[in-house]
Amino acid sequence: MSTLADRWRDLTGTRRAQVIVAVVVLVYAVWALIAGNQGWLYKHVPIGIVLAGVVYGSVYALGAFGLILIYRTNRIINFAHGALGSFVGVLIIGLVIEKGLNYWIALPAAVVGGVLLGAITEVVVIRNFNRKKVPRLIVTVATIGLATAFGGGEALLAKREGFTALTGAFAPPFNVSFQISVSTFHSADVLIVAVVPVVIAFLAWFLLRTKVGVAVRAAAENEDRALLLGIPVRRLATIVWAIAGGLAVLTYMLSAPFEGVKPGILSNGPTVLLPLLAAAVVARMESLPTAFGAGLGLGIAEQLVHWNAPNRPSTIYVVYLAVILIALLAQSGRLSRAFAGATSSWAAVTALKPIPEELRRVPEVLWGKRVMLAVVAAVFILVPATWGPSNQLLASYAIVWAMVGVSLVVLTGWGGHMSLGQFGIAGVSAMVAANMVAHWNADFFFVILAAGATGGLVAVLVGLPALRIKGMFLGVTTLALAVALDLYFLNNSNFPSWIPSNGVKRPLLLQRFDLNDQYTMYLVCLAFLVVTILVTMGLRKARAGRVLIAAENNDRAAQSASVDTTRIKLAGFAVSGIIAGVAGAFTVYLLTALNPGSFPAIDSITVFGYSVIGGLGSIAGVLIGVLFFKYIETITALGQYHLVISGISLLWVLSVVPGGLGQVVYAGRDNVLRWIANRRGILVPSLVADKRVEGVADHAEDEESLLAGALGGPVADGNGSRERVEVMQ
């Protein structure tokens, strides 16, 4: 026994995991042979369900391969992976169904299309960011813009084909059917079993046996060293993106018979990407064999959930969340070292400055600010009064989204934590608010207070793992949280007592204002948005806000200054959660009900994208971005074009003005302030640019004499001769 213990200690972590899996498989096989078609094992874990999980899990593994290849090459998580696959896959399937394209031509054509689209994406978009040495977190956010643009383009092009949805299955055109235990396998399963080993063999040959594959692995290990050795890193990145694109499309085509086909980002969004991310995270975003094993395990887990809990299929999303959270916490130190120096705070990127102290009391500035605020207030108060109830309701929703955007300013813009689950936090608070109203008929202000407290508590619970999980990996975790909250915890089939069946009534506020009137409800939402803005601005000016930004920009320096960075970071999560919680309560009042899908995970991604476009470093920028694009959504003539517009806008902003539209607005403001300062003859150092005019010396004529005199050196006289300046001792 001691010898076995010593050998076990000598094994690496990966080898130990392989041994454990092998033992589990052996025990299961022996148990299944002995028990036969009777007993607990056959009832709960039959061999047919396990084999079905292996088939479906192998497809997840292919998708995880694409994510890992991109991460190892560019050190980013490609949130556009699923959208890239569905963009080509939906269009090819549309050609098969609507135009009669032969399936055996369509399948390889789809893979080739994915290869081309992946290569084009790297050359046109990703390479531009890499050339500018943009932080990896911002490039990761850029993939969200790609996913949005792909989703909108997919819906538009599919509509042109006349393909809007597939009611039946999209199966291969050959008929095979056989049964193992309790599962029946069809032609789609056989195709997966035939294709996946070939793809894995190709990847193994490419990465291990070809010069390009070896160069890809070398560049993934150390890009700088690869460049010194003359390896064409950019060309290799294009090849990797091409392979990832082909894998994404192949994953979509193989899973279409089981998942169904519906064009658009709503059906091909986070729920499709989540199992791929889970498998990739278990593999530490680097090991393809481990990702394959993790994909098989997740596929088996999914099939077992469907078999043992047929009425609760959404339980699998809780499993994905748990797998991602445990894997990231177990590997946080290793991932953090790989991710060192790659994060970015939008507050640091934008570096927005307040109005200089020298100009704050100048009449033009003072009255200009007052007039501008008065005009904005008049627009937001008076213009909606002329709209109909339906438009006023949409305006209320836009105001609530703006609240969530402000919460992202605190959490992401200042704190540097990438959250893709703000509407998940809002959903939990909404559930608390709905129960308080439906069961207790609680006071409106007490409901808002309780919802805010709930959001703050949930955000802090999310923030505790965030102390070890940072940047883009926190984005993966919060995305999984948002999906699990929406599809499992906010599902009345799982928790019927949590979801009020009688709806949520709007109260008579202060016994005077009837919130059933849409305009009155809009004004109340607007008032709370103003309060949220004022509180957040106060936080930014206070020491707590400055410390929050400083702790993110230089954590070690903040700690050396005796700043409790842990407490500050959790406080940032709490404030952000409180704001999101209040927004969740208002959402329930607007909906007057709480249903599954009221807080979809895609909304968390969308509001994050809108906020980045506006500028996460400033409240004004976020308000501009969120409100403008919520208005774009209401223009029915645009249809799915608004997704394409928002996706391309996000890419443009991140590439040209990382500070967002807010940075452009603030630059215009500084130009006006500079004009006022020049007109008044006021010197404002913070507005003085370092300008050099061609042909004009950028230093004083007697600069050399001054420096020489100060240092005790030779001084040039007017005739070019020099004399020694004696320095008094």
Side-chain angles (χ1 to χ4, degrees), residues 566-597:
T566 299
R567 182 176 60 84
I568 289 297
K569 291 177 181 178
L570 291 179
F573 272 94
V575 173
S576 175
I578 290 171
I579 298 172
V582 172
F586 273 106
T587 302
V588 164
Y589 277 118
L590 293 173
L591 291 172
T592 65
L594 184 61
N595 302 305

Side-chain angles (χ1 to χ4, degrees), residues 31 74 100 128 259 345 366 453 559 562 582 584 669 677 701:
W31 189 357
N74 296 114
N128 180 46
E259 304 293 340
S345 168
L366 191 62
Q559 291 178 356
S562 301
V582 172
R669 181 209 65 178
E701 293 182 358

Side-chain angles (χ1 to χ4, degrees), residues 254-583:
L254 293 178
S255 62
F258 317 108
E259 304 293 340
V261 181
K262 184 174 176 59
I265 193 173
L266 292 178
S267 60
N268 304 316
T271 56
V272 175
L273 189 61
L274 205 55
L276 315 185
L277 284 171
V281 167
V282 170
R284 299 191 304 273
M285 304 300 292
E286 62 180 28
S287 173
L288 297 184
T290 304
F292 182 74
L296 297 185
L298 290 171
I300 294 172
E302 179 178 341
Q303 293 305 306
L304 290 177
V305 166
H306 293 334
W307 173 257
N308 291 283
N311 297 325
R312 295 184 177 182
S314 57
T315 306
I316 189 60
Y317 296 110
V318 181
V319 175
Y320 293 153
L321 172 62
V323 168
I324 289 173
L325 191 59
I326 293 172
L328 286 176
L329 287 175
Q331 305 164 16
S332 61
R334 191 166 185 172
L335 290 173
S336 297
R337 286 191 296 271
F339 197 51
T343 57
S344 171
S345 168
W346 266 270
V349 171
T350 56
L352 301 176
K353 299 174 290 186
I355 297 176
E357 185 68 31
E358 298 88 344
L359 296 177
R360 290 181 185 177
R361 298 299 176 184
V362 174
E364 293 94 325
V365 176
L366 191 62
W367 282 102
K369 186 176 179 180
R370 291 174 180 174
V371 170
M372 184 180 64
L373 290 175
V375 170
V376 171
V379 169
F380 275 87
I381 293 174
L382 299 179
V383 172
T386 63
W387 297 344
S390 60
N391 287 333
Q392 290 170 347
L393 179 62
L394 291 176
S396 300
Y397 280 120
I399 295 299
V400 171
W401 275 55
M403 290 185 193
V404 178
V406 173
S407 74
L408 284 170
V409 173
V410 178
L411 184 60
T412 306
W414 300 345
H417 301 287
M418 182 181 179
S419 174
L420 299 177
Q422 289 301 94
F423 269 105
I425 297 174
V428 176
S429 301
M431 182 177 62
V432 172
N435 280 279
M436 292 180 67
V437 174
H439 297 154
W440 305 338
N441 195 25
D443 179 74
F444 174 82
F445 292 103
F446 184 67
V447 170
I448 297 297
L449 183 64
T454 302
L457 177 61
V458 173
V460 169
L461 294 177
V462 174
L464 289 173
L467 299 176
R468 299 183 64 184
I469 305 172
K470 299 181 180 180
M472 63 181 78
F473 295 107
L474 179 62
V476 173
T477 307
T478 53
L479 179 62
L481 175 66
V483 173
L485 287 172
D486 175 52
L487 297 179
Y488 182 76
F489 293 102
L490 298 181
N491 193 329
N492 53 9
S493 63
N494 297 330
F495 303 97
S497 60
W498 292 12
I499 310 297
S501 58
N502 298 327
V504 178
K505 297 181 180 179
R506 296 183 188 178
L508 185 65
L509 188 62
L510 301 176
Q511 301 300 317
R512 182 175 180 181
F513 304 104
D514 186 5
L515 297 188
N516 288 302
D517 178 67
Q518 298 293 2
Y519 181 63
T520 304
M521 187 68 199
Y522 164 79
L523 291 178
V524 173
C525 292
L526 182 63
F528 271 84
L529 174 61
V530 172
V531 172
T532 300
I533 293 171
L534 293 176
V535 170
T536 308
M537 290 175 62
L539 174 66
R540 176 64 181 87
K541 294 178 181 178
R543 179 180 181 275
R546 298 194 300 271
V547 171
L548 179 64
I549 296 175
E552 168 55 26
N553 291 339
N554 197 326
D555 186 71
R556 294 182 179 179
Q559 291 178 356
S560 65
S562 301
V563 174
D564 188 350
T565 56
T566 299
R567 182 176 60 84
I568 289 297
K569 291 177 181 178
L570 291 179
F573 272 94
V575 173
S576 175
I578 290 171
I579 298 172
V582 172

Side-chain angles (χ1 to χ4, degrees), residues 5-48:
D6 292 338
R7 290 184 177 181
W8 178 258
R9 283 192 294 268
D10 292 338
L11 295 177
T12 62
T14 302
R15 186 65 66 184
R16 290 180 184 178
Q18 292 172 349
V19 171
I20 292 173
V21 170
V23 170
V24 171
V25 171
L26 180 62
V27 170
Y28 175 82
V30 173
W31 189 357
L33 287 174
I34 295 174
N37 295 338
Q38 297 178 358
W40 182 91
L41 190 69
Y42 181 79
K43 182 179 180 180
H44 295 283
V45 195
I47 185 65

Side-chain angles (χ1 to χ4, degrees), residues 113-135:
V115 169
L116 294 176
L117 183 60
I120 292 171
T121 300
E122 196 281 329
V123 172
V124 176
V125 179
I126 303 301
R127 183 175 297 183
N128 180 46
F129 286 104
N130 292 337
R131 189 182 299 114
K132 296 179 179 180
K133 301 294 182 181
V134 174

Side-chain angles (χ1 to χ4, degrees), residues 637-654:
L638 288 176
Q640 297 295 329
Y641 279 106
H642 81 271
L643 290 175
V644 179
I645 293 172
S646 62
I648 294 176
S649 298
L650 179 56
L651 294 173
W652 177 82
V653 164
L654 291 175

